[in-house]
Amino acid sequence: QVQLVESGGGLVQPGGSLRLSCAASGSIFSIKTMGWYCQAPGKERELVAAITSGGTTNYADSVKGRFTISRDNAKNTVYLQMNSLKPEDTAVYYCNAEVVTTNYYRFNYWGKGTLVNVSS
């Protein structure tokens, strides 16, 4: 079994910054791509940013130049640095990881989400 635990969400004013973290633990052999998704009220979950084990990144157009994704492979942890936050960034942010387990099965895991509320 694998668990993803997010932290770092909260209330922030427009123009402010937050840093989200997501730590994976459990029966992990390796982790391929890790990413962050967001889901605003009444909308579908969508990709914010993703990073491969080799460090290749991919961003949604709406966050390019403002958000930075990074990971620490030794700690099985992915981060999302969010700068110049806008009210439209308000959403629940979910961590996602493509994990190869210790018995060599590949599964996609999700965290429970952390709320980011950008409001004055």
Side-chain angles (χ1 to χ4, degrees), residues 8 15-16 30 37 43 46 90 111:
S30 67
Y37 289 71
K43 295 187 176 181
E46 59 185 18
T90 295

Side-chain angles (χ1 to χ4, degrees), residues 1-25:
Q1 188 71 331
V2 173
Q3 298 81 37
L4 301 183
V5 178
E6 301 111 332
S7 61
L11 175 63
V12 63
Q13 292 186 342
S17 298
L18 283 176
R19 188 190 194 213
L20 306 183
S21 299
C22 171
S25 63

Side-chain angles (χ1 to χ4, degrees), residues 34-117:
M34 301 185 82
W36 291 94
Y37 289 71
C38 70
Q39 187 167 18
K43 295 187 176 181
E44 294 186 354
R45 192 174 299 187
E46 59 185 18
L47 175 70
V48 176
I51 184 168
T52 68
S53 56
T56 300
T57 57
N58 180 39
Y59 294 93
D61 288 342
S62 60
V63 307
K64 286 180 180 177
R66 299 189 299 123
F67 292 8
T68 302
I69 190 170
S70 60
R71 65 188 282 177
D72 184 332
N73 290 330
K75 295 181 179 180
N76 291 331
T77 299
V78 64
Y79 306 96
L80 185 68
Q81 179 65 44
M82 311 166 70
N83 297 331
S84 302
L85 282 160
K86 304 175 181 179
E88 50 263 44
D89 295 320
T90 295
V92 178
Y93 284 72
Y94 295 91
C95 176
N96 175 270
E98 183 182 5
V99 176
V100 178
T101 62
T102 51
N103 53 2
Y104 304 110
Y105 288 103
R106 181 178 293 194
F107 290 114
N108 217 19
Y109 289 95
W110 292 91
K112 293 183 179 180
T114 184
L115 176 63
V116 172
N117 187 359

